[in-house]
Amino acid sequence: MDTRHQTVATVVVDNEWRRWIAENLLLGSNPDDLLQVMVAGGIAPDMALAELNAARQSPYLAGAQRLKNRLAKRDWVLDNLRRLEHLRAAEIPRRHRLSTREFFDEFYTAGRPVIITGMMDHWPAMNKWSLDYFASRCGNAEVQVQFGRNSNQHYELDKKRHEKTMRFAEYVNLVRAQSPTNDFYMTAYNDSRNRAALADLWNDVPPLPEYLDPSSVDSGFLWFGPAGTITPFHHDLTNNFMAQIIGRKRVVLVPATEIASMYNHEHCFTYVDARNVDFQRFPEMRRVRPLECTLNPGEILFLPVGCWHFVEGLEVSVTMSFINFRWQNDFTSSYPAERAF
C-alpha cells in the first residue's frame, strides 16, 4: 500500500489545552518547554506555536497577569508572616486556667493555638461520661453517624453519602467492640439530629463564660468514635474549641500562614496525608513546619480560624467542640466562593 501521500492525524487544540497553556504561562513556564509538551502530545508544531503566540498576545492573559502581580504582593506579606511564625518555638503552649484577657490578647486576636487546662474540672461529663452511661442514659435515642468511610478516600468531602441512622445503644456497642477503625464516626456534621436526640448529655456540659457566650442556643458539637478515627487535614471557617472528655487525640496543626504550601484542592480540604506526606507529589510541604500535640482528657485546644489540622483518635474518644465565642467569629459569610467562567 502506498503511504507516501498519507497525512498524519494530529491532536486538535481544544479549550482544555488552552486552559493548560494559560495556567502554565501564568506560572512562569518557559514557552519552549510548553511547545515540546504539546508536540509530544500529538499537536502539529506550527499549530502549537500559533496557539502559544496567541495566548502570549491575549489581552485576557495580560489582565490575568496583572491580577497575579497584585496577588504576589499579598503573598509576600503572607510569607513574611509565615517566616516570623517560624521564629517561635515549634510547640503549642499549655496554659492552666488561662484568663479571659490573656486568652483574648495572646491567642484569640493573634490567631495562635493554645491548650487550656483546668477549665473542665467542674464538668459533670468528666466524671459521668462512659460507654455504659451513654447506653443507659440515651440508649434508645435515634442518632446519626458517618458510616462506611473506609470505602471512600474522600469521605469528608462526600460526608452526605455516609449518613446512617441507628439507636445510640447500637452505636455505643459498635464503638465498644471495634478494634481501631476509621469506618464509622459520630461527628459535628451529624449535629442537626444528634443535638436533640442526646439533649440529656448536654446538661453535663456547663458553659465556659470565660471564653464562650453562655446565651448561645447552639453551643457544642459532639464527636464520638473508636480509636483510629481520622479527620484529614482541613481548616475551619471559624475559631474553634476542642474540649476533650474521654480518650486522647493526636492533633497536627499547620498555621494559616502556610496556606500557600498546603495544596488547598477543594473547599477547605487538601489531599495531603499528615500521616505520610508524599513530598514527591507535594514538594511545597517541605516548607511547612507542623505543630503536633496529644490532647488529653480535661484539656481544651483552641484552633484559630484558617488553621489547618489533622486529628487522629488514639483511643475511644469523646470530644465537644464549640464556636460560640464571646467575640467576633463570623468568618464563614466572607469565605470566597469558587467560581468558573
Side-chain angles (χ1 to χ4, degrees):
M1 179 178 177
D2 189 354
T3 60
R4 286 174 296 176
H5 302 293
Q6 194 172 8
T7 58
V8 178
T10 58
V11 173
V12 175
V13 179
D14 57 13
N15 284 340
E16 194 56 43
W17 269 109
R18 293 186 180 102
R19 279 189 285 268
W20 177 85
I21 292 170
E23 182 177 352
N24 279 278
L25 286 174
L26 288 170
L27 288 172
S29 299
N30 188 317
D32 291 337
D33 294 338
L34 301 184
L35 179 64
Q36 293 181 28
V37 172
M38 294 174 72
V39 171
I43 299 171
D46 56 343
M47 186 182 300
L49 184 59
E51 288 287 345
L52 280 167
N53 287 336
R56 296 173 71 187
Q57 296 166 16
S58 167
Y60 299 117
L61 209 61
Q65 182 62 52
R66 185 181 301 167
L67 177 60
K68 182 191 173 188
N69 293 341
R70 292 211 305 265
L71 292 175
K73 296 176 183 178
R74 293 189 192 180
D75 290 343
W76 175 78
V77 173
L78 194 61
D79 191 58
N80 288 341
L81 294 175
R82 180 191 67 82
R83 292 161 64 187
L84 290 170
E85 180 79 34
H86 284 205
L87 297 179
R88 291 197 181 107
E91 61 184 24
I92 303 169
R94 275 183 163 83
R95 300 285 292 273
H96 186 67
R97 301 191 64 83
L98 188 63
S99 74
T100 302
R101 176 50 59 185
E102 287 174 315
F103 173 67
F104 181 77
D105 288 344
E106 297 178 31
F107 300 100
Y108 196 84
T109 56
R112 294 181 58 205
V114 62
I115 295 171
I116 305 173
T117 62
M119 297 301 293
M120 298 167 58
D121 295 347
H122 66 291
W123 284 14
M126 294 303 300
N127 297 314
K128 290 182 177 181
W129 282 14
S130 67
L131 299 188
D132 288 339
Y133 179 79
F134 284 171
S136 63
R137 185 79 171 177
C138 304
N140 289 324
E142 292 284 319
V143 297
Q144 186 184 92
V145 299
Q146 296 291 298
F147 218 89
R149 288 154 49 109
N150 287 345
S151 64
N152 181 2
Q153 181 182 1
H154 303 302
Y155 53 84
E156 279 290 334
L157 281 166
D158 299 334
K159 48 186 171 282
K160 188 74 177 172
R161 291 170 43 191
H162 295 279
E163 295 176 349
K164 182 175 179 177
T165 302
M166 61 175 62
R167 288 177 61 249
F168 192 44
E170 180 185 354
Y171 181 69
V172 169
N173 287 335
L174 275 175
V175 173
R176 191 194 305 272
Q178 187 63 48
S179 56
T181 183
N182 188 39
D183 200 44
F184 53 85
Y185 195 13
M186 180 181 289
T187 74
Y189 182 73
N190 306 119
D191 176 69
S192 57
R193 170 183 285 269
N194 295 346
R195 186 189 299 271
L198 304 176
D200 283 351
L201 298 182
W202 261 250
N203 295 328
D204 299 330
V205 182
L208 283 170
E210 294 85 354
Y211 318 117
L212 303 177
D213 178 4
S215 67
S216 175
V217 295
D218 295 323
S219 60
F221 304 90
L222 182 67
W223 303 72
F224 171 33
T229 54
I230 298 291
T231 302
F233 259 141
H234 69 289
H235 69 78
D236 294 329
L237 306 185
T238 60
N239 291 297
N240 207 331
F241 260 172
M242 281 178 59
Q244 195 64 18
I245 300 174
I246 295 176
R248 299 174 303 137
K249 282 184 170 175
R250 171 181 173 242
V251 186
V252 181
L253 303 182
V254 173
T257 52
E258 304 272 16
I259 188 173
S261 302
M262 284 301 297
Y263 297 88
N264 187 188
H265 292 94
E266 294 185 60
H267 189 37
C268 54
F269 290 91
T270 175
Y271 296 157
V272 175
D273 186 345
R275 293 165 295 180
N276 184 25
V277 179
D278 185 345
F279 292 108
Q280 290 290 105
R281 183 181 177 190
F282 306 117
E284 284 294 308
M285 284 296 294
R286 296 185 186 279
R287 289 161 41 91
V288 169
R289 188 184 69 165
L291 310 175
E292 185 170 336
C293 69
T294 297
L295 192 64
N296 302 303
E299 296 182 334
I300 302 170
L301 172 61
F302 172 59
L303 294 167
V305 59
C307 176
W308 296 85
H309 49 286
F310 162 94
V311 185
E312 178 182 10
L314 300 178
E315 298 152 354
V316 171
S317 177
V318 179
T319 310
M320 292 291 291
S321 60
F322 302 90
I323 61 173
N324 58 314
F325 288 94
R326 294 174 50 178
W327 311 282
Q328 161 69 25
N329 199 28
D330 176 20
F331 305 104
T332 306
S333 58
S334 58
Y335 186 72
E338 295 187 3
R339 296 183 174 89
F341 292 107

